[in-house]
Each structure stands twice: as structure tokens, then as C-alpha cells.
Amino acid sequence: MRAARMQAGRLRTVITAGVVAALTIGAAGCAESDRDSGGDKGAAAGTFIFAGAGDPKNFDPIFNDDGESFRPIRQMYDTLVTHKPGTAELVGGLAESWENDPTGKIWTFKLRQGVKFHDGTPLDAAAVCANFDRWYNMKGEAAQSQMIYYTDVFGGFAGSPDAVYDNCKAQDAGTAVVTMTKYKGAFPGAFTLTAFSIASPAAMKQYAADTVTQNGDSFSYSAFANEHPTGTGAFTYGGWNKATGEITLNKNPDYWGDKAKVDKMIIKVIKDENTRKQELRAGTVQAIDFPAPADRKALADEGYQVLNRPAFNILYLGINQKNPKLRDLRVRQAIAYALNRAQLVQTKGPGGAVVADQFMPNTVSGYAPDVQKYDYNVEKAKQLLADAGATGLTLNFYYPTEVSRPYMPNPQEIFTVLANDLQAVGIKVNGVPRPWNGGFKDDVQQFGKQDLHILGWTGDYNDPGNFVGTFFGRAKVEFGDAAMSDMFTAIGKADATVDQAAKKAAFEQVNRDLAAKWLPAVPLWHAPPAIVATKNVQGLVPSPLTAEDFNTVSVTK
Amino acid sequence: MVRVILRRLVQLVVTLIALMTLVFFWLRSLPGGPVDALLGERATPQTRELLTRALGYDQPIWVQYGRFLKNVVTGNFGNSIRTGEPVMDVISRSFPATIELAVAAIIIAIGLGIPLGYVAARYRGRLLDNATIIVTLIGISIPIFFLGYLLKDWLTQDIHFFPPSGRITTGLGNTDVTGFFVLDGLLTREFDASADALWHLVLPAFTLATIPLAIIIRITRASVLDVLDEDYIRTADAKGLRNATIRKRHVLRNALLPVVTTIGLQTGALLAGAVLTEKVYNWGGLGTLITDSISGGRDYPVLQALILLAAVVFIVVNLLVDLSYAIIDPRVRVQ
């Protein structure tokens, strides 16, 4: 009897298990078919899905300074001056032409006719001036502290003695005249900055764009910045689903320039580079930004388009002259000779990287083709160290961890190669790893604890001051405070030169002197960041400034 | 019972105040800070100073602490430093994602763990039992991060069976009602969205479930073995009770007590495991929020609120576990 009951029990178990398995498989199949139809719906013709690497902050251009915010902003807004696609060459944007007077203080913009903001209001000189006036008159530290580029380029706000902006007048509807208090070398290149995009004054007023409030120890932005960004760009704002990390942009049918080829663009935020690659392979996104350098070749071999951006960045080895031993030029030159940069580029550089011999890429005006070179030479390095009486040198070498930058994809590996080179000429290296946001930037840029460090920069606009001026234009603890007043003076003078030919010559001389006389750091490489796209994406033009416009992109089925 | 709950609630408040203070000072003692993270490479000393002042970090630490306490008491956790949104908005958006994942994982762990543990015990020493022991050992030993990448590589890249990441197919769109995508699809009758969300859930939930699943199997097995050896089971058997009755009323019920304790502990641990799983699958829940808030910008307001939330969840789950003892075992109620 009991055996029979047990048998029946087992049979029931088997049947139950079978039913559960059948249901599971059925549900899975059902989900699969639904998923497929969903996938088709998501990747429908006319939609371009691009995987970015991080969240934007908001969509008010002036309060942003990072690439992830600028990517969607750039599609929705235009700047007065812009770049020829794929280059750093300046061309007209909302201004068809521009000129400055001989003093370099007055800039006259001839505006494009018939351009409308997304809210239907016209772009005219009054609208342009409203933007300049808004920036200059921004009230409250909460807002001002978020305007990193404005402070950097325009010096300060209304009432500040350092402010460069004076006024803007609408000469007529199509002519805006911007007057500065003094010439600044950053212009006209800085007019291309996405932060200085022109927004609709009507929309900014309606959605209280200037209302940046402080809440506890942080800020909150306006409805304009979060929900109603209104520019003149090729795409209009379609929404930001923060739960799924999707920013939707719709084609602007009234765009003044080349209208977008796709009806809709989705920027999908995928922070992990491995996951971005997997989504590309799964066909759920059509292009990804910042692939891991190690994946580039494999992806190209698999038939994906690996689009290298022309390098507009620099990685350098900083030398801190707070250490008295490093004040001797011969020691710094010895360090430069000790580094096998060609091998570093070959073994650790992302595809397309090239050895740098100065602190700007050769596309920037002021690049000098004839600077002193420091080819790898161990004997010369040892000799220079001996001449300077600096044998047996021990240096603290700071490098960042938990970070990957376009110019520095793998800091730890770069450090290892450089440290080996230095040790080969008799310099003892103490490696000091520090988390990027957890000590590295503080220790290096605020406290100057290091002897050596690696760091770099991606240029914001085509101007030599944006490169060498940023690094060496003033005393910085990063390189040892006021170690080189000659250098600061020379860079300041070059930056203040109005005549463009003379300015170019002055910066060429700065670059020669940086290499031969000052050597505050050793330039290492220029590394092109890449975009990878599937085969069915056409018209994606990579920008050296990572400032791609996606109106030219089309996707075939 | 009421006294137990009240005592626990008092404990909760005291723990939270202590934790709040600890977290506040601990975060600020770490090197680096939001100013650094927000400014990137282009910080001039002037912008750094302006931002430090605007954020109130130039004030004495006790003034900052006072402001923080005042905010918390009034239920205002401030705004995220990174995004500018109210902290509660940021958290309430991420919370359903993690809960959806954790619930799915715990359903898998319990749904498979208890029957498998029970079956292993019933067939003690046989092939099935030995296989279960080996598989659970692997399940416990293998790091979630590694397993996640392994499963993802295999099932999404090699055989293209599951989607690689995210909670729903990009561009599919879904109506957000509760934040639980599977449920939302059912509520709004967007069944394709619901099925799509469920399909996205399978792999992360299974990854997250591996450790609790293995533990539940082992605890159930051990517990059932203990109970099977008890005299009252032999007595019941000798009395001629039906097998099913013995299993349900005597074996399973008595074996469940340690299992429930384990489930409670594992639910807390799931939140920690979610950090890694979410990272692997770009899930966008609390785990992602924690890592973003630490590495992406030292987002003090978000971090403070998240740590408090984790503590509340942990304490409440443990309270529920204790209460569930009373339901399963009447002797606890008497005590």
C-alpha cells in the first residue's frame, strides 16, 4: 500500500515538473517573440541609437562643461561659430561671418537669415545679445559657480574687474556687435564652445532658466534646463527617461541647415565600456563612444566601423620643480631622454596614437615643426644626471587609479612603462597610486605633493592658449608654483597678440622654448579617441573636439 | 509582540542617528570631494573657490553637520550634487529597479532552493545529492562579478539568447506607473513591454540569486536531514500517516525555521550583491547609484541618504524575519 502511494507521489512529481518546465519554456518563447518585436520597434528605420558613456547634467548649455552633457546639447543648439565637420577649422554657425576690429575688442557677427528657435521665435541680433547679457549678468553664486567655461573665457561677471565682456548691441536684426573690455586670445575659437550655444530668450524667460537654487549642499536647475531646452539645432528635445537612461531627440523639420536624416535619435547611457561593446554586438545600439583601446582591433576585424577622431589631446609627464633637484634643466632633460616614448605609444597607446613633441596637436595654430626633440637615449640621460650631480635620485611618481580618460585609457600601465624607463637610467621611482577623485587631483593640483605625475587634456577649441596657456600660462602648484616667470610672461604676451600671424609666430616660439629652455613637463602622446559604428550607419563624421553633429547620420536596415 | 515591535523601532531610531553621524564625518574625512569631481581638469583656483563657497564647504564642519541634521529631520535630503535633482527623486527612481531585481532573485532562490534542498536531503548520499552539493559549492564560491560577465558573454554574445544589459529594449518605451517595469506593463496592458522587461530580468536575477540559492539549498538540506532523524518523524511514519502529510506537516514545517533566518539574512546581502550585478548588467538601480555617487562625484547628499536607506531596509527585514518565526513556530510566540 505504502509503496503504491510512493509511486503515485513520484508520478505526480514528474508530471508537475513536466508542466512547470513546459510553462517555463512557453513563457520564455513568448517573451522571446515579444522581445523580438520589441527590438524591431526599438530599432525601427529612422531611429539612430548611440551609446554614450555617462549621464548628462542638464540641457542648459551655459551650466555645463562635460562631454556627456554637451553631446545632446550640441544636437539641440547651435553656436555663432562652429567647426568644419571632422576638423578644428572655424566656419560659420549661426553667424554667417564674423570680424573683429584692429584692437581685437569689438566682434561683429552677421547672422544667418530665417533661422528659428524650436519654439518658433526668430533668431536675431536681439536674441544673441540676450544670451550674452544673460551670462554676464547671472546672479548668485549657485549659478555662477556652474558656469565653468564662462569664468574661464570671460574672466568674470558684472562688477568683476576681470570681466572681459562689456556689452552687446543689435546693430540691426541680422548684426550683433559684441564689445569686450580687452582683447583675449581665446576668441574667436571660444565662440565655438558648446557652453556658449544660443538659446531662445522667450523659452528661457518662460521656464525661469536663471533660477539655479541651492538646496542643502547642492544645486537645483530650472525647468528650462531639465525639461524645455530650446535652441535652433537639428534635433528637438524629446525627453529624458532617467529610469532607462535614454535621451530622445526628434528631427527638427524646420532646421536651417542640413536636416537630420533620421526621424529620431536616442542617446543611451551605458557607463561600462565592455557593456557598450556587447550592446553594439547584440545590435541594440548602432554606435558607441569610447571603446576600450584593446577592443578596437577586434571590432574592426569583425566588420564594425572604427572611426578615429583626429587627436586633439595630450598626455604628459609633469615635473614638479618644488623639488630642488628638478629645478636643474639638465635633470628634466635627462628624464625626457630616458623615456622610450615610441615604445610606449606602440605598446600602450590606443590605435592611431602618435608620439608628442609639444603640448598641442599639429592642427592647432602655433604648433612649431622645429622644436628640440628628445629621442630615447639612455647614455645621454645618465650623462646629464651625472653633470647635474643628481645621481641616485629618488622621485615620487603619482598616477591616478579608477579612471580612464580619452588621452589616458590605462594610467597604471603607462606608469609602469615610464617607471621602468626611469629606473634604467638610475632614477629610483616610488609609485604613488591615488584614486582620481579620491586624492590624485587634490595631491597633484592643489598640494603639489608629487615629483612626477601623468596627466593630460583634451582641447576645448582651436587656440594655442587653450593648450599651453592652460598648463603653463600661470603659476600652478602642479609644476612647482612660480618656478618659471619667463614662461608665464611669454605665454601671456603671445595670448594677448591681436594680429593672428604674429600670435602664431609668438606661440611657435613659446613651443620651441618650452622644449629647449623650460621643459616643465615631457609631452608623451596624442591619442585619438574613437567611435565604433555598425556597418549600416552612414554619414557619421568623427570630430577632433568630440563635437559630432548627428544630423548627417543615416541608418539603413 | 507589540512590545517587541516598539523596542525594535526605538533601536531603529538610535541606530539611524548614530549611523547618520558616522556617515557624515566619514564621507568628509575621505580625500577628494565633490568640488574636485565637478570641476574636472580645467579647475582654476577661482572656480574652485567659488564652487567651494557655493556648496557651503568653506564653513566649519559642525555648521555643515547642523545643516545636514536639520535637513534630515525635516525630511529634506537636499539635491544630488551631480544631477541637481532632489535626492528623494533620484532614489525613488532607482529603488524599484533594485527591488524588482532583488525580488526576482529571491523568488528564484526560494523557489528553487527549498525544493532542491529538500530533494537532496530525501535522496541523501545518492547521485542527485552529491551533484547538488558540488553545484552549490561552486555557486557559493564563484564571485558574482565573474559569473555575471561569464553568463553575459556566453548567453548574450555567443548564442544571442538574452539581451546584454538594461531593463528594457532601448526605444521600446514603457509607461512608468510604479517603476517596476514588469508590473507596469501588466497594469497598462503594454504586454510586450512587460514581457521585454521580464526577459531583461532573467539573467541579472539569476546571477544575483546564485549565492542565496546555493545557501538556501544547503541550509534546507541540512535542516531537513536533522528533522528526518527526529523521533517524531519515525513515530508519525509508524502510525501510518501518509507520506505527503508527514512531509508537509512535520518535516517541512519544522525544517523551515533556520531556512527563514537564512532568507532574511540573504535578503540584506542581496542589496550588497546588487551593486555588482547592476554594474555588470547596466541595471540602473541603487547599486549603480552608489557606485556613481562615490566614483562619479562624491555625491554626499545621495550617499548619505542611500546608506540610511540601506540601514532601514536591513533592520526592517530582520524585524520581519523575527516576526515570521512566530508564525512558523508557535513556541516563539509564547516566549
Side-chain angles (χ1 to χ4, degrees):
Chain A
M1 184 69 183
R2 192 172 168 207
R5 268 210 311 266
M6 273 181 76
Q7 239 174 2
R10 271 181 207 156
L11 188 65
R12 263 202 308 276
T13 311
V14 169
I15 291 170
T16 312
V19 169
V20 168
L23 281 174
T24 310
I25 292 165
C30 174
E32 171 74 351
S33 71
D34 282 338
R35 180 181 65 100
D36 282 345
S37 68
D40 281 342
K41 195 172 153 194
T47 302
F48 172 52
I49 305 176
F50 183 95
D55 294 310
K57 199 164 82 173
N58 61 61
F59 304 119
D60 189 338
I62 198 64
F63 296 132
N64 287 284
D65 66 323
D66 65 291
E68 298 303 334
S69 301
F70 281 161
R71 184 180 292 113
I73 287 174
R74 208 171 278 122
Q75 316 310 319
M76 294 187 278
Y77 297 84
D78 293 301
T79 45
L80 287 171
V81 183
T82 186
H83 301 103
K84 188 175 162 188
T87 73
E89 190 187 322
L90 301 187
V91 292
L94 289 177
E96 275 181 323
S97 66
W98 65 95
E99 58 180 25
N100 65 334
D101 75 329
T103 65
K105 291 185 192 169
I106 302 172
W107 291 88
T108 306
F109 296 96
K110 290 281 179 199
L111 302 180
R112 218 169 274 282
Q113 296 297 299
V115 178
K116 282 197 176 350
F117 289 106
H118 298 160
D119 58 1
T121 56
L123 171 101
D124 53 18
V128 170
C129 287
N131 277 270
F132 276 92
D133 287 340
R134 174 198 181 213
W135 304 331
Y136 177 65
N137 293 306
M138 191 66 75
K139 297 279 187 294
E141 284 188 345
Q144 291 177 359
S145 69
Q146 298 303 287
M147 297 166 66
I148 308 287
Y149 271 119
Y150 191 80
T151 317
D152 202 31
V153 173
F154 286 89
F157 300 89
S160 160
D162 300 326
V164 172
Y165 175 81
D166 189 8
N167 68 74
C168 177
K169 295 261 185 304
Q171 204 173 65
D172 55 59
T175 314
V177 181
V178 178
T179 305
M180 311 285 187
T181 56
K182 61 183 175 198
Y183 171 73
K184 178 133 182 175
F187 299 117
F191 290 125
T192 65
L193 280 172
T194 306
F196 304 146
S197 296
I198 303 298
S200 158
M204 287 194 288
K205 192 173 173 202
Q206 185 179 355
Y207 300 110
D210 296 354
T211 320
V212 176
T213 51
Q214 201 179 338
N215 182 2
D217 46 10
S218 52
F219 311 116
S220 66
Y221 300 93
S222 68
F224 175 81
N226 287 311
E227 292 146 35
H228 301 283
T230 313
T232 55
F235 288 90
T236 60
Y237 182 65
W240 181 7
N241 185 338
K242 292 179 180 175
T244 56
E246 291 173 27
I247 300 139
T248 304
L249 304 170
N250 297 319
K251 175 181 182 167
N252 172 10
D254 303 320
Y255 187 51
W256 58 268
D258 292 336
K259 291 182 180 47
K261 292 195 164 65
V262 290
D263 296 330
K264 192 158 86 166
M265 173 177 179
I266 296 173
I267 299 173
K268 169 88 176 168
V269 178
I270 305 175
K271 288 166 190 166
D272 178 56
E273 59 187 12
N274 194 40
T275 305
R276 285 201 295 279
K277 176 186 70 183
Q278 290 173 327
E279 291 281 2
L280 184 78
R281 280 182 172 153
T284 45
V285 302
Q286 282 115 34
I288 61 170
D289 209 351
F290 304 123
D295 290 334
R296 287 192 196 185
K297 190 175 176 306
L299 288 167
D301 290 346
E302 289 168 35
Y304 293 98
Q305 307 178 59
V306 177
L307 307 165
N308 276 339
R309 294 168 165 127
F312 204 66
N313 58 27
I314 174 76
L315 171 74
Y316 59 77
L317 173 82
I319 305 173
N320 188 349
Q321 296 182 44
K322 194 171 84 177
N323 182 333
K325 291 278 185 197
L326 298 174
R327 274 184 212 144
D328 190 322
L329 175 65
R330 289 170 297 182
V331 176
R332 300 199 296 278
Q333 287 179 321
I335 291 171
Y337 279 120
L339 303 178
N340 189 347
R341 289 177 292 166
Q343 197 179 46
L344 176 76
V345 166
Q346 207 178 4
T347 55
K348 301 296 171 199
V354 291
V355 172
D357 57 19
Q358 49 203 299
F359 296 91
M360 58 170 76
N362 60 8
T363 43
V364 178
S365 165
Y367 177 88
D370 53 353
V371 298
Q372 178 170 341
K373 305 275 199 293
Y374 292 91
D375 293 330
Y376 180 51
N377 192 332
V378 173
E379 290 315 312
K380 206 161 182 176
K382 284 181 178 169
Q383 187 60 49
L384 280 164
L385 287 172
D387 292 349
T391 47
L393 208 57
T394 300
L395 300 176
N396 290 322
F397 190 148
Y398 277 59
Y399 62 95
T401 59
E402 299 169 23
V403 74
S404 173
R405 311 297 284 177
Y407 53 79
M408 181 172 60
N410 41 9
Q412 164 107 42
E413 293 180 10
I414 296 167
F415 159 77
T416 308
V417 174
L418 297 177
N420 285 340
D421 284 348
L422 292 170
Q423 272 157 350
V425 300
I427 296 173
K428 193 167 172 246
V429 174
N430 285 336
V432 187
R434 286 273 182 275
W436 178 253
N437 280 330
F440 179 77
K441 280 195 290 174
D442 268 359
D443 285 353
V444 167
Q445 294 188 313
Q446 252 200 301
F447 308 122
K449 289 184 183 174
Q450 77 288 2
D451 293 314
L452 303 174
H453 67 286
I454 44 173
L455 199 56
W457 175 264
T458 298
D460 299 312
Y461 47 90
N462 195 344
D463 176 65
N466 187 241
F467 281 91
V468 292
T470 302
F471 309 133
F472 313 121
R474 61 183 184 279
K476 283 168 88 175
V477 291
E478 185 178 345
F479 302 105
D481 278 327
M484 294 187 186
S485 53
D486 289 357
M487 184 172 72
F488 309 141
T489 312
I491 293 173
K493 259 189 184 164
D495 195 50
T497 309
V498 180
D499 180 76
Q500 291 302 302
K503 181 179 167 186
K504 179 171 179 278
F507 268 109
E508 282 175 0
Q509 190 53 44
V510 161
N511 281 325
R512 284 186 208 104
D513 289 344
L514 272 170
K517 280 166 55 182
W518 301 322
L519 204 68
V522 182
L524 296 173
W525 74 32
H526 305 294
I531 291 178
V532 183
T534 53
K535 272 184 276 190
N536 60 342
V537 171
Q538 292 90 33
L540 204 171
V541 183
S543 153
L545 297 126
T546 62
E548 288 80 23
D549 290 323
F550 294 110
N551 55 330
T552 54
V553 172
S554 61
V555 183
T556 49
K557 273 219 155 187
Chain B
M1 186 66 67
V2 176
R3 262 176 58 193
V4 172
I5 296 174
L6 279 177
R7 202 168 59 222
R8 285 303 191 87
L9 286 177
V10 173
Q11 271 175 11
L12 177 74
V13 172
V14 174
T15 311
L16 287 185
I17 291 171
L19 194 69
M20 227 155 51
T21 310
L22 201 70
V23 166
F24 180 88
F25 287 101
W26 170 67
L27 280 177
R28 278 151 186 81
S29 72
L30 295 175
V35 173
D36 262 345
L38 285 174
L39 288 178
E41 288 99 316
R42 58 179 56 89
T44 61
Q46 290 83 354
T47 46
R48 181 186 293 276
E49 195 189 316
L50 194 63
L51 190 59
T52 305
R53 220 170 37 230
L55 288 169
Y57 295 146
D58 57 333
Q59 291 164 344
I61 191 80
W62 54 268
V63 174
Q64 295 182 44
Y65 180 63
R67 196 172 58 214
F68 165 67
L69 272 190
K70 193 179 139 209
N71 282 343
V72 171
V73 169
T74 54
N76 172 13
F77 284 91
N79 286 26
S80 157
I81 292 175
R82 282 185 318 122
T83 68
E85 289 174 285
V87 168
M88 294 321 282
D89 286 4
V90 178
I91 290 182
S92 59
R93 186 171 60 241
S94 306
F95 194 66
T98 300
I99 295 300
E100 190 172 57
L101 179 63
V103 166
I106 207 74
I107 288 172
I108 292 173
I110 296 172
L112 290 178
I114 294 177
L116 282 175
Y118 183 80
V119 169
R122 287 254 308 166
Y123 297 98
R124 173 170 26 178
R126 300 221 212 138
L127 183 67
L128 185 72
D129 185 30
N130 292 334
T132 310
I133 289 173
I134 292 169
V135 170
T136 53
L137 196 65
I138 294 171
I140 293 169
S141 320
I142 197 163
I144 285 190
F145 206 70
F146 179 67
L147 178 73
Y149 272 119
L150 208 66
L151 284 177
K152 198 161 73 146
D153 248 22
W154 176 41
L155 293 170
T156 77
Q157 301 293 292
D158 295 344
I159 61 173
H160 295 281
F161 196 63
F162 287 105
S165 76
R167 297 178 65 196
I168 197 159
T169 297
T170 306
L172 180 61
N174 61 318
T175 312
D176 193 352
V177 185
T178 61
F180 302 100
F181 284 5
V182 178
L183 183 65
D184 286 352
L186 296 176
L187 291 176
T188 56
R189 305 182 69 80
E190 294 165 348
F191 298 119
D192 58 338
S194 189
D196 187 83
L198 187 63
W199 196 238
H200 278 75
L201 187 58
V202 175
L203 212 48
F206 184 76
T207 306
L208 184 57
T210 46
I211 291 178
L213 171 62
I215 291 173
I216 289 172
I217 290 175
R218 292 200 142 218
I219 299 286
T220 309
R221 179 183 173 276
S223 183
V224 169
L225 284 179
D226 281 350
V227 176
L228 283 176
D229 283 343
E230 293 283 347
D231 288 342
Y232 58 81
I233 299 295
R234 266 194 293 277
T235 310
D237 199 17
K239 269 171 33 185
L241 275 179
R242 288 176 68 236
N243 254 348
T245 313
I246 297 175
R247 280 206 297 272
K248 206 170 127 194
R249 195 172 294 168
H250 298 291
V251 180
L252 206 53
R253 192 171 180 130
N254 286 306
L256 269 183
L257 212 56
V259 178
V260 170
T261 314
T262 309
I263 292 169
L265 290 171
Q266 286 305 309
T267 307
L270 273 183
L271 293 175
V275 174
L276 298 174
T277 310
E278 288 183 15
K279 169 99 179 130
V280 175
Y281 293 99
N282 191 37
W283 192 253
L286 293 178
T288 314
L289 192 59
I290 287 175
T291 44
D292 283 358
S293 303
I294 294 172
S295 62
R298 281 299 148 75
D299 205 335
Y300 290 159
V302 174
L303 279 172
Q304 282 158 181
L306 275 176
I307 293 170
L308 288 185
L309 178 71
V312 171
V313 169
F314 208 85
I315 293 169
V316 169
V317 166
N318 275 292
L319 178 61
L320 290 177
V321 168
D322 288 356
L323 295 179
S324 69
Y325 283 179
I327 297 164
I328 296 170
D329 186 351
R331 284 172 302 175
V332 175
R333 234 175 298 168
V334 176
Q335 281 163 14

